[in-house]
Amino acid sequence: MTLKNLVQHRLTLMLLSIGIGLIFIWAGWTKIRDPISFADSIHSFQILPEKIIIIFALGLPVLEILLGILLISGFLRRPSALGLLLLTLIFLVALGVAKARGLSVNCGCFGSTSGPSNLWVAMGRDVLILLGSVLIYTRELKRKRDSQL
Amino acid sequence: MSYPSTKTLASDLLVFGLLGLFSFLAGLGVNQIRHQPLSLDYAPPEARLEKDVQQLLTQQPSQTLPAELSSISLVELKKRIESNDVLLLDARAKVFYDLGHLPGALSLPRNDFLRAFKENKKAIDSTVGNILVVYCSGGTCEDSVLVVKALNRLGYDKVLVYAGGWQEWSASK
């Protein structure tokens, strides 16, 4: 079996969907349990104005959990994969900007931590999730196209 | 690789947008049924801690601040723990305290200072004459420094920072 076949194999994509879905469900759950710490993490990036930090800290974890559940269940999988792809891209850009500005940030990716995060590790993890999401999304597009033929 | 048509991309983005809207409204709704709903006005950690201290200061008078923060090394801390003349206070979030903490340490998280201080006040006060040592995760974490400053404001002057924190302690075991 070639690498391309392996990557596009139905089982591989199903496992990938379950893996990425569980990661986002876990990430969202840890943030929902301690929203103020997640708000502090968002604040440490110095990107969003303080007025909307709490709204993001309350809404984003719910969105992560919802997208994770949808990705695993298969219902609305294509838009969910696109959503996770965009979210991960935004996280990646935020981490990259923080790194470039030399900020000591607490990424808050999986709930609160009491110290600054290793941004390289967080960015590496996001790149992997991004690749996985791209793979799932393009596969879902292909499936839609095939079903229309 | 398959690329989305404009129509498909637009419909996927629309669904994502609706899911986002639903999630943010649900997040705000869940907040309202929390035991202690978050105020939508965000205040940074230092400001929240100051508010807690101000509230506590209405119950007990403020005392003079020590000019500088004093710290304690791992070796000295271990000696003091052995001679049992130190009270350890963990300034990390409670979830990390629950996962592991220094022997005998009490949880006094920076992000829940008011409640935890009231809960542990008796134990803290009963260490009169002894020393309070505050730590967090180690490295460049700021929680211990903020908690020491808050305790100083509340009149506790024998408070030290263990800068090595949980990281150094667990590595030394």
Side-chain angles (χ1 to χ4, degrees):
Chain A
M1 186 182 272
T2 63
L3 182 66
K4 190 181 173 188
N5 286 342
L6 180 72
V7 165
Q8 292 189 341
H9 196 277
R10 209 175 149 191
L11 187 66
T12 309
L13 287 158
M14 195 178 79
L15 290 175
L16 203 56
S17 298
I18 292 172
I20 292 178
L22 287 177
I23 288 172
F24 273 86
I25 291 170
W26 172 247
W29 175 243
T30 56
K31 289 168 193 156
I32 278 185
R33 287 176 59 198
D34 190 4
I36 191 66
S37 294
F38 182 45
D40 289 340
S41 300
I42 297 174
H43 179 252
S44 71
F45 281 88
Q46 300 174 21
I47 291 176
L48 291 182
E50 288 187 2
K51 282 192 181 304
I52 57 169
I53 284 181
I54 294 290
I55 294 174
F56 265 79
L58 294 172
L60 200 57
V62 180
L63 182 60
E64 287 181 328
I65 291 176
L66 185 61
L67 292 177
I69 291 171
L70 290 175
L71 194 73
I72 292 173
S73 70
F75 180 65
L76 295 176
R77 180 174 279 158
R78 203 184 63 236
S80 309
L82 179 67
L84 292 177
L85 189 160
L86 292 174
L87 278 187
T88 311
L89 200 59
I90 292 167
F91 296 156
L92 203 51
V93 170
L95 289 167
V97 170
K99 187 77 192 165
R101 290 162 73 190
L103 297 177
S104 171
V105 300
N106 174 347
C107 97
C109 312
F110 295 93
S112 65
T113 54
S114 54
S117 311
N118 184 332
L119 294 186
W120 288 120
V121 172
M123 286 166 80
R125 189 175 51 215
D126 280 357
V127 167
L128 290 177
I129 294 173
L130 186 69
L131 289 176
S133 305
V134 169
L135 203 63
I136 297 167
Y137 186 61
T138 53
R139 177 70 186 174
E140 288 298 316
L141 283 175
K142 187 173 182 296
R143 213 158 65 105
K144 183 184 179 234
R145 207 158 291 163
D146 291 347
S147 69
Q148 285 173 341
L149 291 177
Chain B
M1 186 183 276
S2 303
Y3 294 97
S5 66
T6 314
K7 195 180 159 194
T8 309
L9 187 63
S11 88
D12 289 347
L13 284 173
L14 180 67
V15 173
F16 172 56
L18 290 172
L19 290 172
L21 183 65
F22 169 78
S23 301
F24 275 69
L25 291 175
L28 290 169
V30 168
N31 184 47
Q32 292 309 310
I33 56 167
R34 275 179 200 280
H35 178 56
Q36 287 179 313
L38 284 186
S39 157
L40 293 186
D41 289 326
Y42 174 76
E46 298 82 0
R48 292 201 306 274
L49 193 59
E50 176 60 23
K51 196 177 158 196
D52 287 354
V53 171
Q54 287 297 338
Q55 196 171 330
L56 289 163
L57 281 175
T58 59
Q59 294 155 21
Q60 61 186 86
S62 173
Q63 291 185 15
T64 322
L65 269 170
E68 283 181 16
L69 291 175
S70 305
S71 59
I72 186 168
S73 68
L74 176 66
V75 178
E76 202 182 335
L77 179 65
K78 282 187 170 171
K79 275 185 203 163
R80 286 197 176 274
I81 290 174
E82 275 171 25
S83 56
N84 207 21
D85 66 347
V86 69
L87 178 66
L88 295 165
L89 298 168
D90 190 324
R92 299 174 300 163
K94 181 75 164 51
V95 61
F96 296 103
Y97 172 85
D98 291 340
L99 287 172
H101 53 264
L102 268 65
L106 299 177
S107 174
L108 187 61
R110 189 268 304 151
N111 66 1
D112 194 16
F113 185 82
L114 184 63
R115 183 203 55 78
F117 178 79
K118 284 179 177 172
E119 198 175 289
N120 293 315
K121 190 173 185 305
K122 209 171 169 181
I124 293 170
D125 287 346
S126 69
T127 59
V128 174
N130 291 341
I131 293 169
L132 304 175
V133 173
V134 186
Y135 70 92
C136 49
S137 64
T140 53
C141 73
E142 290 181 333
D143 290 344
S144 54
V145 174
L146 291 172
V147 167
V148 169
K149 285 181 179 172
L151 288 169
N152 287 159
R153 294 276 309 278
L154 293 167
Y156 300 91
D157 54 356
K158 291 181 183 171
V159 194
L160 304 174
V161 175
Y162 169 44
W166 175 248
Q167 230 169 50
E168 186 184 62
W169 179 271
S170 43
S172 75
K173 280 197 287 188

